[in-house]
Amino acid sequence: MDNPARTAEYVALRDARCAELQRALTELLATHPRITLELGAGHGHFLTDYAAAHPAEFCVGVDLLRDRVVRATRKRDRAKLSNLAFLQAEAGEFLGALPAQVVFGRIFVLFPDPWPKRRHWKRRFISD
C-alpha cells in the first residue's frame, strides 16, 4: 500500500539531494566542460590510475555508497591528483543534475552486474 506521508518525505529528501548535487556539480564542473566519467567507481582503483595516466582529462567517479567514495577520495589525495573527483550519488540523479554544457569524453561502466540471480533483474544497472 502507498503511504502518502512516507512518499512525500521520500520525494522531499530526493529533491533536496538532487538540488545539492546540482549545486556541487555546477561548482565542480564550471571550468571542466568535458569529463571522463566512471559510473560505479567503487574504491577508485581504476579511475585513479586512469587520471594519473591522463592528466589532461578531468575525471569524475560516481558511486552510491559513501564509504567507497571516502576511500576513493583518500586514494586520489594520496596520489595528489587535481584532475579527479569522486561523488556519492545515484547514477540517474547524477546524470539529471549535470549542467547542460557538460560533454562526455569517455564513460566507463566496469563490472556492472553485481546481481547475478534472475530474480534480481530489477536491481541491475544495465539490462536489455
Side-chain angles (χ1 to χ4, degrees), residues 92-109:
E93 291 176 1
F94 171 82
L95 294 172
L98 278 174
Q101 79 274 9
V102 172
V103 175
F104 297 114
R106 289 182 171 81
I107 300 174
F108 296 104
V109 182

Side-chain angles (χ1 to χ4, degrees), residues 3 6 8 11 18 23 29-30 40 56 60-62 64 66 68-69 75 85-86 88 101-102 122:
N3 183 334
R6 287 185 67 185
V11 170
C18 289
R23 185 204 58 73
L29 302 177
V60 177
V62 177
L64 187 59
R66 181 174 185 74
R68 291 179 186 164
V69 173
K75 191 174 304 234
F86 290 101
Q88 179 188 1
Q101 79 274 9
V102 172
K122 62 186 170 277

Side-chain angles (χ1 to χ4, degrees), residues 14-113:
R14 186 200 63 209
D15 290 348
R17 193 172 57 241
C18 289
E20 174 59 25
L21 182 59
Q22 191 169 30
R23 185 204 58 73
L25 286 172
T26 299
E27 182 180 315
L28 178 68
L29 302 177
T31 57
H32 306 289
R34 184 179 181 89
I35 65 171
T36 296
L37 173 65
E38 182 182 12
L39 293 174
H43 297 140
H45 302 294
F46 170 76
L47 202 57
T48 301
D49 290 343
Y50 183 88
H54 300 87
E57 295 182 34
F58 189 76
C59 303
V60 177
V62 177
D63 202 276
L64 187 59
L65 300 179
R66 181 174 185 74
D67 67 317
R68 291 179 186 164
V69 173
V70 168
R71 286 182 65 179
T73 302
R74 278 197 309 250
K75 191 174 304 234
R76 177 205 63 194
D77 293 345
R78 280 194 305 268
K80 296 182 171 102
L81 296 172
S82 61
N83 65 327
L84 177 60
F86 290 101
L87 298 170
Q88 179 188 1
E90 191 272 327
E93 291 176 1
F94 171 82
L95 294 172
L98 278 174
Q101 79 274 9
V102 172
V103 175
F104 297 114
R106 289 182 171 81
I107 300 174
F108 296 104
V109 182
L110 307 175
F111 308 107
D113 192 4

